[in-house]
Amino acid sequence: MSPRPDNLPALRGARTGGGDVLPEVRAVGLPRITAGFDEVERLDRVTHLSVHGSMPSGMTESELIDLAELMVLRGKGGAGFPFHKKLRAVGENVKKRGIRPVVVVNGSEGEPACRKDATILRRAPHLMLDGALLAAEIMGASQLIIAVTRDTNEASVRDAMAERGLADRRGKALRARIVRMPERFVSGESSSIISAANGGAPLPPGRKVSSSEAGVDGAPTLFSNTETFTQLAIGARLGAIRYGSTGVAGEPGTAMLTVSGSVPQQLVIETPTGVPMSYILQMAGGSVGQGVLVGGYHGGWIDPSVASMVTIARESLEAHKATLGAGALLPLDPGLCPLGESLKIAQWLAGETAGQCGPCKLGLPAMAALLGDVLNGGGQAALEQLRKVAMGVKGRGVCKHPDGSMRFVLSSISAFTDDLAAHVLGGGCGRPVKGVMPLLGSEPIAGKGGSAGTSNQKLVVDWTLCKGHGLCAGILPEIVRLDANGYPDIAGTRVPAHLTGQAQRAVRRCPALALRVEDAGRR
């Protein structure tokens, strides 16, 4: 049975400091992953053992697979693939090929609506390492790789590895190393991380081979995200029966959620599965509003009536064609224009393109532009063209980014039919757009607090480094065009003041580090 809101214990919260500030963390009921967070900002090795105790030893591969299956453990990065099937597939390929596997922890969160993995990496890195090392040691892995973004995440993981004596040295029984990924949406793609781990560009190469067959260095690779390995560590300590003592029967344990949107502040919340979504939103200071975006920016909108009755559980959400994805919940205030807020996200998603295939490089900006046309009175013709372009993107991308973006855009125009009609048939819904959804590098909307005019900055390309990836054109199409050879044609154009944030994001996302921003007067 699902827990009742009025029976839930008091909440626990803690804040972190530093330049890259994490959201406040709270827990519904007794915390598991977030145990100790109310006492310290980061659990070092000694504190970690004091709070969680030691890991069990002597577990076999078959026992590990059974544990994951009895826990009903699924990947927590979005797809929700059963973890025991990944373990079994990697094990079978190891036996078939006679080669040691690799274990990869995906700690790359390129979506600002998701901060749970960053919270674990920065505040409880040893829990993640417990689960990853358990799998690596039992399966005889040659390497353990942790993929991260941001200096703060890397520093915390590196310190945790040093506390355990893990070394990035060839010849060690287990080589443990960190792979640094750029902070962008496609960084979380398994193929992006495997490409980077193999010394290539941190971009999806379009490979169709399962990582369990051939991943890092061509070896069978066990790939899952930070929370998955962390939950494995909790389950190994508790055992499957105790692990299932909280949450719903078909999906036991707790879930890590990130709540943002129309709430006073972004929160990370650990909750037992089965808790009503409306309770989580109320706990965060919000409500179901005029709808909730579930699963993040590759997810979809659910209406208030559905949001009021679903629980934080796969079965409950799937009954309404929704999925929790990477654990993001974003309610929207009734006083805002839902399609205008969705347009901001669609534009950001278009800027996150890897620029490697037509559906992503051309289709996503086209979708965002057409959604803008619909909102600006383009009428039924613009709406039909938007649907046509969206369906033309489906299933044709090198990675999953085009499909996820298409799903979000179509969900937006399906969920808010009254507002859509007001924009298509009339002069709009009359409500403001405030950009309440968290977007890296986003700027205030012109006319609503945004600045006008031209800044004293310009984009500059270092031609000795530029490889013609073309990402800058996808992120900043207002300034950057690609020439006939696929290289940026900037011509010293100054950066408009309202695009300075986008320009800085283009600089950060350049895989070749070939782009920079300079004062326009500099020679």
Side-chain angles (χ1 to χ4, degrees):
M1 292 180 61
S2 300
R4 294 175 57 84
D6 53 357
N7 289 339
L8 294 172
L11 310 176
R12 298 157 66 91
R15 288 183 178 274
T16 61
D20 180 13
V21 181
L22 287 171
E24 181 179 341
V25 178
R26 297 179 182 176
V28 179
L30 293 175
R32 286 183 171 180
I33 291 175
T34 60
F37 281 23
D38 56 343
E39 303 294 335
V40 295
E41 287 190 3
R42 178 184 180 276
L43 279 70
D44 61 16
R45 178 70 169 148
V46 173
T47 308
H48 165 75
L49 291 172
S50 174
V51 171
H52 294 286
S54 300
M55 286 284 285
S57 59
M59 189 180 296
T60 65
E61 184 176 323
S62 62
E63 289 172 338
L64 178 65
I65 293 171
D66 289 344
L67 172 66
E69 185 170 10
L70 290 170
M71 288 171 61
V72 200
L73 181 60
R74 291 177 176 268
K76 304 293 184 177
F81 191 80
F83 190 66
H84 75 275
K85 292 185 177 180
K86 286 188 178 183
L87 286 167
R88 184 171 286 113
V90 171
E92 289 173 352
N93 282 301
V94 166
K95 293 180 178 66
K96 186 187 304 180
R97 298 179 55 195
I99 183 173
R100 294 174 67 190
V102 175
V103 173
V104 176
V105 180
N106 181 3
S108 300
E109 277 184 318
E111 180 179 349
C114 299
R115 299 301 305 281
K116 65 183 180 68
D117 284 352
T119 297
I120 294 170
L121 292 173
R122 299 250 295 276
R123 302 199 63 184
H126 286 285
L127 267 180
M128 172 274 295
L129 284 175
D130 281 345
L133 286 169
L134 177 68
E137 290 166 0
I138 288 175
M139 303 191 77
S142 61
Q143 293 187 67
L144 168 60
I145 295 172
I146 300 104
V148 300
T149 59
R150 299 192 181 192
D151 293 341
T152 45
N153 297 347
E154 180 179 356
S156 177
V157 174
R158 200 170 291 283
D159 287 347
M161 290 170 62
E163 290 169 6
R164 289 171 175 256
L166 296 172
D168 180 8
R169 292 201 305 271
R170 296 184 185 277
K172 295 281 288 184
L174 176 66
R175 181 189 180 199
R177 61 190 177 105
I178 294 173
V179 170
R180 182 66 180 268
M181 300 294 293
E183 192 177 352
R184 52 180 298 112
F185 203 102
V186 297
S187 291
E189 281 276 338
S190 60
S191 58
S192 295
I193 292 171
I194 289 170
S195 175
N198 285 335
L203 300 170
R207 66 194 303 275
K208 300 300 182 182
V209 179
S210 169
S211 60
S212 63
E213 296 179 28
V216 176
D217 295 337
T221 299
L222 179 65
F223 186 101
S224 202
N225 91 313
T226 299
E227 187 190 346
T228 311
F229 285 105
T230 302
Q231 294 284 5
L232 182 65
I234 296 290
R237 283 183 168 89
L238 296 178
I241 294 176
R242 286 181 61 201
Y243 183 86
S245 64
T246 190
V248 294
E251 190 180 348
T254 64
M256 295 285 284
L257 307 174
T258 310
V259 185
S260 50
S262 293
V263 292
Q265 62 176 328
Q266 190 177 57
L267 294 175
V268 168
I269 299 173
E270 182 182 14
T271 177
T273 57
V275 171
M277 180 183 292
S278 58
Y279 179 80
I280 298 296
L281 298 177
Q282 291 167 14
M283 184 176 97
S287 68
V288 296
Q290 61 179 313
V292 181
L293 179 58
V294 180
Y297 300 153
H298 275 181
W301 293 96
I302 58 175
D303 64 40
S305 62
V306 171
S308 296
M309 62 182 179
V310 297
T311 63
I312 304 301
R314 172 180 293 271
E315 184 176 353
S316 177
L317 289 164
E318 286 183 346
H320 299 278
K321 299 181 180 179
T323 176
L324 196 59
L329 302 178
L330 299 101
L332 187 62
D333 187 275
L336 300 176
C337 172
L339 294 175
E341 298 293 341
S342 295
L343 174 60
K344 294 286 287 180
I345 297 172
Q347 290 170 334
W348 183 80
L349 289 170
E352 290 295 293
T353 171
Q356 297 186 113
C357 64
C360 201
K361 182 178 178 181
L362 304 176
L364 302 194
M367 276 199 304
L370 285 166
L371 181 57
D373 289 346
V374 170
L375 268 63
N376 292 323
Q380 191 67 32
L383 179 59
E384 291 305 317
Q385 184 63 18
L386 171 60
R387 290 191 174 110
K388 181 179 179 180
V389 169
M391 293 310 297
V393 163
K394 185 177 180 181
R396 297 178 53 240
V398 166
C399 68
K400 297 176 182 178
H401 184 50
D403 279 5
S405 302
M406 175 272 300
R407 183 166 50 250
F408 166 77
V409 169
L410 291 183
S411 172
S412 299
I413 61 176
S414 298
F416 304 107
T417 52
D418 290 345
D419 298 270
L420 183 65
H423 284 280
V424 171
L425 303 176
C429 67
R431 287 176 287 179
V433 178
K434 296 184 178 180
V436 297
M437 304 298 180
L439 299 171
L440 289 173
S442 61
E443 288 294 304
I445 299 172
K448 301 185 184 296
S451 55
T454 303
S455 71
N456 192 41
Q457 295 181 327
K458 65 179 181 180
L459 278 177
V460 177
V461 177
D462 184 337
W463 297 111
T464 65
L465 297 176
C466 182
K467 304 297 183 183
H469 289 108
L471 302 189
C472 49
I475 296 172
L476 199 59
E478 299 88 345
I479 297 177
V480 183
R481 298 290 186 272
L482 299 182
D483 63 20
N485 296 312
Y487 284 83
D489 182 7
I490 295 175
T493 304
R494 291 198 181 196
V495 179
H498 72 284
L499 292 176
T500 53
Q502 292 290 94
Q504 291 291 350
R505 185 151 65 94
V507 170
R508 293 196 305 270
R509 305 293 169 82
C510 177
L513 306 178
L515 200 63
R516 66 181 185 273
V517 173
E518 288 185 355
D519 290 338
R522 180 176 173 181
R523 296 185 181 278

